[in-house]
Amino acid sequence: MGDAAKYDCDLLISADYLIASASPAAGISGHRIIEDAALAVSGGRVIAVGTRTGSADRKAKRRLDLGRSLILPGLVNAHTHIAMTFLRGSADDLPLKEWLTRCIFPRERRLTPEIVELGALIGCAELIRTGCTAFADMYLFEDAVAAAVDRAGLRCLMGEAVFGFPTPASASAEQAFDKVRGQAERFRGHSRLRVAVMPHTVYTTGEKILRSCLDLADELGLPLHLHVAETAGEAEDCRKAHGKGPVAYCRDLGLLRPTTTLIHCVVPDEDELDMIAASGAQVVHNPRSNMKLASGVAPVPAMLRRGILPGLGTDGAASNNALNMFAEMSACALLHKGYSRDPTVCPAAAVLDMATTGSAAALSWPGLGRIFPGGPADLVALDLHSPNFLPLYNPFSHIVYAASGFEVRLSMAEGRILYEDGVFKTLDFPELCREAEKLKQWVSEKC
Ligand SMILES: [Zn+2]
């Protein structure tokens, strides 16, 4: 008798609580809670979602009862520079310009693929440990990021950063385009790695390069991500140079469309918010990075009122300094209440939507961020025995306001367990700890 007859799924996971969703095709947003839950996984997909008792007769190859745990969709980090862990904590508490020109750029000028890969592996370990299973990444030497992501088992929308000046990775924007073409070819059909066109910003590229980015995205059928309207200074410079704000400038270039993701959007004006809503373009909100760099507060409540559901991202570890989506959700919910003096804005369920389905939309990868039959088996489980979860009335509340992220006891992407009860399954974490010392040495010697 073959396996097919003996078993009806690879893995049956059960837990006291599970957060399930409708498929993106159903057009129903939001998550719902199932108590005494079970889900069946086969071939990297969720094949059934139901209750423990309803699944008792299933013939599973492996059964995993997580007991008093909460299963939720793997969180999606919609914007980071994953390799920048190598600079984490090396320079804080400085004005943006000084921080960039004195601490970040001089070190990045000496970057190598080896440093990027090691920094990315450390970043991937942090994502896995804190419940994130997919992310969008913009950086130099993205091939090295891809190698790290593939080893870690995560999903990634990767983007070789495009600049209007030479970088250690590419002498010109054209060379960066060639890299993107090569990556798009190499990862075509890859189930966990996808490619996007990622011009860094309006002001570090220019009109000609932005138009070429749009052409490249069209030619290869790829999404496009760029940092936009991050600071008041950027918006002011754009108005001086082009007579309009950076979002309006992008709109007039034809950049605003559903497969374009605008990162930050801290300082769009009311008209620009309307342009984003009308175009269906995506937004990524990075509250901790915006606070740490004192960029300001993105108008997220005004976005939500217009029907824009932003994704949530950590940005890089040099400007956050954590790649922890639970910390990001908490910061998002608290920041907007405090800033608007309105405790009803950014409620917990909406913030979880941002970190799951909102971020998935920002990655142009709509199946992510939700648990539904037929969907990807990307999920995480929180250990509810943690004292900060006692008692439990509302799982959404604990996820956003009480969790640290380190209560994650299981992380899974594409049906493969990446972390389980203290053990990284795809990464040699003790070795990574030793290698992190080498990074520190490299930074102090080279810079
Ligand atoms: Zn960024």
Side-chain angles (χ1 to χ4, degrees):
M1 195 161 68
D3 268 12
K6 262 200 309 207
Y7 304 113
D8 60 12
C9 65
D10 293 343
L11 176 65
L12 186 75
I13 312 177
S14 44
D16 285 4
Y17 299 91
L18 180 145
I19 293 183
S21 321
S23 83
I28 304 162
S29 62
H31 303 290
R32 68 194 156 85
I33 292 157
I34 301 177
E35 288 190 33
D36 198 24
L39 90 167
V41 172
S42 259
R45 300 208 151 257
V46 171
I47 58 165
V49 179
T51 59
R52 267 196 187 108
T53 34
S55 312
D57 294 339
R58 273 211 173 267
K59 297 193 277 290
K61 225 181 261 181
R62 184 187 170 199
R63 280 171 186 270
L64 181 61
D65 192 339
L66 299 173
R68 193 171 162 71
S69 295
L70 164 64
I71 297 172
L72 65 150
L75 301 174
V76 182
N77 186 344
H79 174 67
T80 187
H81 314 279
I82 193 80
M84 288 187 80
T85 55
F86 79 101
L87 291 175
R88 180 180 359 232
S90 66
D92 303 311
D93 313 323
L94 292 168
L96 177 64
K97 241 186 195 150
E98 191 184 342
W99 176 74
L100 275 175
T101 54
R102 225 186 64 198
C103 308
I104 304 300
F105 290 157
R107 288 159 173 174
E108 286 186 331
R109 267 197 287 276
R110 295 172 169 84
L111 261 185
T112 64
E114 292 72 28
I115 295 296
V116 169
E117 185 169 343
L118 180 51
L121 280 170
I122 291 170
C124 287
E126 188 179 0
L127 294 184
I128 290 169
R129 183 66 188 85
T130 54
C132 177
T133 54
F135 66 107
D137 192 69
M138 176 201 285
Y139 210 49
L140 306 169
F141 299 112
E142 276 294 312
D143 287 326
V145 173
V149 172
D150 213 20
R151 220 167 104 191
L154 289 164
R155 295 192 203 257
C156 180
L157 179 73
M158 54 188 273
E160 185 77 31
V162 178
F163 289 92
F165 44 81
T167 71
S170 307
S172 65
E174 272 307 322
Q175 263 192 24
F177 294 156
D178 289 343
K179 284 202 161 82
V180 176
R181 279 197 186 87
Q183 288 154 358
E185 178 62 36
R186 205 152 358 107
F187 298 116
R188 189 174 315 242
H190 195 294
S191 57
R192 288 184 296 101
L193 284 165
R194 293 188 183 181
V195 176
V197 180
M198 297 202 189
H200 181 248
T201 61
V202 166
Y203 61 93
T204 49
T205 53
E207 182 179 335
K208 187 166 168 280
I209 292 174
L210 289 173
R211 285 190 192 280
S212 302
C213 286
L214 201 54
D215 290 344
L216 187 64
D218 282 338
E219 174 196 325
L220 302 172
L222 304 180
L224 190 146
H225 281 218
L226 80 165
H227 299 100
V228 179
E230 181 175 1
T231 63
E234 176 197 338
E236 202 183 302
D237 289 349
C238 189
R239 283 195 181 89
K240 268 187 208 148
H242 308 289
K244 51 196 147 187
V247 174
Y249 178 76
C250 288
R251 195 266 317 258
D252 292 348
L253 282 181
L255 282 165
L256 296 197
R257 51 189 190 174
T259 52
T260 293
T261 296
L262 311 174
I263 302 151
H264 294 306
C265 277
V266 175
V267 291
D269 62 26
E270 294 280 323
D271 290 344
E272 289 181 312
L273 284 177
D274 291 338
M275 288 173 202
I276 296 170
S279 68
Q282 315 294 331
V283 172
V284 179
H285 179 40
N286 307 274
R288 283 173 53 101
S289 169
N290 296 158
M291 283 194 276
K292 183 161 184 271
L293 295 174
S295 305
V297 180
V300 170
M303 292 177 191
L304 293 171
R305 280 197 296 275
R306 282 172 171 80
I308 303 166
L309 178 69
L312 209 55
T314 59
D315 215 350
S319 66
N320 185 317
N321 297 354
L323 305 176
N324 180 338
M325 288 295 288
F326 284 90
E328 213 63 40
M329 285 192 285
S330 169
C332 174
L334 300 181
L335 167 66
H336 294 291
K337 291 174 211 299
Y339 184 66
S340 65
R341 300 190 182 202
D342 179 355
T344 66
V345 301
C346 292
V351 173
L352 180 63
D353 284 348
M354 288 170 65
T356 53
T357 52
S359 287
L363 268 64
S364 294
W365 207 330
L368 301 182
R370 43 177 102 214
I371 295 174
F372 63 96
D378 293 16
L379 52 92
V380 300
L382 291 173
D383 183 356
L384 294 175
H385 288 107
S386 191
N388 50 327
F389 291 155
L390 299 174
L392 172 69
Y393 300 102
N394 174 357
F396 295 124
S397 172
H398 281 4
I399 287 170
V400 173
Y401 296 115
S404 72
F406 290 93
E407 305 85 353
V408 167
R409 57 174 297 195
L410 179 86
S411 285
M412 169 185 284
E414 207 180 31
R416 180 182 180 198
I417 294 176
L418 310 181
Y419 176 86
E420 189 177 1
D421 292 329
V423 181
F424 287 91
K425 302 288 187 179
T426 51
L427 300 173
D428 181 347
F429 190 66
E431 173 67 14
L432 268 184
C433 294
R434 285 188 289 275
E435 300 260 322
E437 285 304 306
K438 284 191 210 161
L439 276 184
K440 195 173 147 190
Q441 207 177 344
W442 182 85
V443 168
S444 53
E445 275 171 14
K446 295 277 190 240
C447 313

